[in-house]
Every structure is written in C-alpha cells, then in structure tokens.
Amino acid sequence: MVRILTQIDLPQAQDLFRTVIDDLISRGIDQWDEVYPALSDITDDLQKGCGFGYFRENTLAGYVALNDEYDPEYKTGSWKYTEGRPLYFHRLAVRPAFQGQGIAGSLIHFAEKHARKMGYSAIRLDAFPPNTAALSMYERRGYSRAGYVTFRKGRFVLLEKALYST
C-alpha cells in the first residue's frame, strides 16, 4: 500500500535510506551518501506533503518524493515532452530486504497515476548510470533518455515519460 508520509514516519524513512545507502555502497554504487539524501531532504519532503511510502504491514519498504521541483541542471535536458507541466520524482528507494518484489514498480505506477490525477503531462527524473538495475527498470517502463546532467557524484541520465498519447 502506498500512502503519503508524515513526520511520524521520519524515523523509518531515515532508516530506509541508511540501509539503502549501505547496500548501494556494498555493491560498488557510489550514488548516495551522508550528504545526499540528507535528513533535511527527507524532512522537507514530509513537511511539503510530497514524500510517499510503500508499506508492507507496518514497515516502510519503499519511498519516493513527487513534486514540481527540479535542479537547475535539468534545464539543459533535451526534453521531448514539453507540453503541459511535468512532475519530477526524486529519491526512489526500496529497502534491500524488499528489493525484487515489485515495490519500485508499484511506486512508479503510483507516481504515474498520481501525476495524471493532478493534471501533469509527463514525469521527469534522473538516474545514476552505475545503478544499472534502476536505469533498466525505468527504460523497461517506457522512460526515454533526455540527456545528461552532472552532479556532485558524477554524470546522471535524464529520463522522461509522457502521460498522454503523442
């Protein structure tokens, strides 16, 4: 089940990200660390009502932030879907114990459904190329590449998907 997160969920969200970061590092994927995503990023998501969680029983198994915010670097993207307004999703993460169970796909499906309901025309995000599992998951779900941006950790792929027929 996916639901909006509140401040009560902050400890579980913190724990989820610590676990995911440790898992990524153990697999040689230097995507996230103690700098990003920071506690302030997660707290901000929850305060703004844009942090969503996938729960299995009472455990926060997955997380995604959905909002209108994007990094200035996104302006350099070769965006194909420019009509209407895009929704951006950030910090998609699944607790390692729950990976491979379709939770990331459920969060993406939720994001797309939520975006359509809220009148967005497309979804945009970035993915870290060494995280090949994440990148291929987005592409299997119909997200296309729209260029690259460089952040502190290196080069990221920009991806987008139209939510309307072209």
Side-chain angles (χ1 to χ4, degrees):
M1 166 182 101
V2 178
R3 69 167 171 81
I4 195 163
L5 299 174
T6 67
Q7 291 299 315
I8 293 169
D9 301 304
L10 184 60
Q12 278 206 70
Q14 280 184 270
D15 183 64
L16 179 145
F17 279 101
R18 270 195 303 271
T19 305
V20 169
I21 290 167
D22 290 346
D23 180 62
L24 287 169
I25 291 169
S26 76
R27 294 187 289 129
I29 302 171
D30 190 26
Q31 177 176 341
W32 290 341
D33 55 24
E34 69 284 345
V35 175
Y36 181 85
L39 175 59
S40 60
D41 296 312
I42 301 162
T43 301
D44 194 44
D45 291 343
L46 303 188
Q47 287 174 345
K48 291 179 178 177
C50 66
F52 295 87
Y54 183 104
F55 284 82
R56 282 270 168 90
E57 297 179 14
N58 293 321
T59 301
L60 179 62
Y63 181 101
V64 67
L66 306 171
N67 59 39
D68 293 326
E69 299 172 12
Y70 59 91
D71 291 297
E73 292 85 351
Y74 272 50
K75 291 180 181 179
T76 65
S78 299
W79 304 110
K80 181 178 174 184
Y81 309 112
T82 57
E83 291 182 31
R85 63 187 177 118
L87 177 70
Y88 296 86
F89 76 72
H90 315 275
R91 296 178 279 287
L92 177 67
V94 176
R95 194 179 291 275
F98 293 95
Q99 290 175 2
Q101 299 177 25
I103 293 170
S106 292
L107 285 166
I108 293 169
H109 177 75
F110 172 82
E112 292 171 0
K113 185 177 175 183
H114 173 76
R116 283 184 184 97
K117 181 175 146 187
M118 300 302 289
Y120 290 93
S121 58
I123 292 186
R124 294 179 179 171
L125 63 120
D126 61 72
F128 193 52
N131 191 342
T132 56
L135 190 55
S136 65
M137 175 191 62
Y138 294 128
E139 290 178 328
R140 280 192 317 272
R141 294 186 162 275
Y143 287 78
S144 57
R145 294 180 185 222
Y148 296 90
V149 292
T150 301
F151 294 125
R152 181 178 61 88
K153 289 287 188 162
R155 193 172 176 200
F156 285 69
V157 177
L158 292 173
L159 297 152
E160 68 178 335
K161 182 177 180 178
L163 298 174
Y164 55 87
S165 298
T166 56

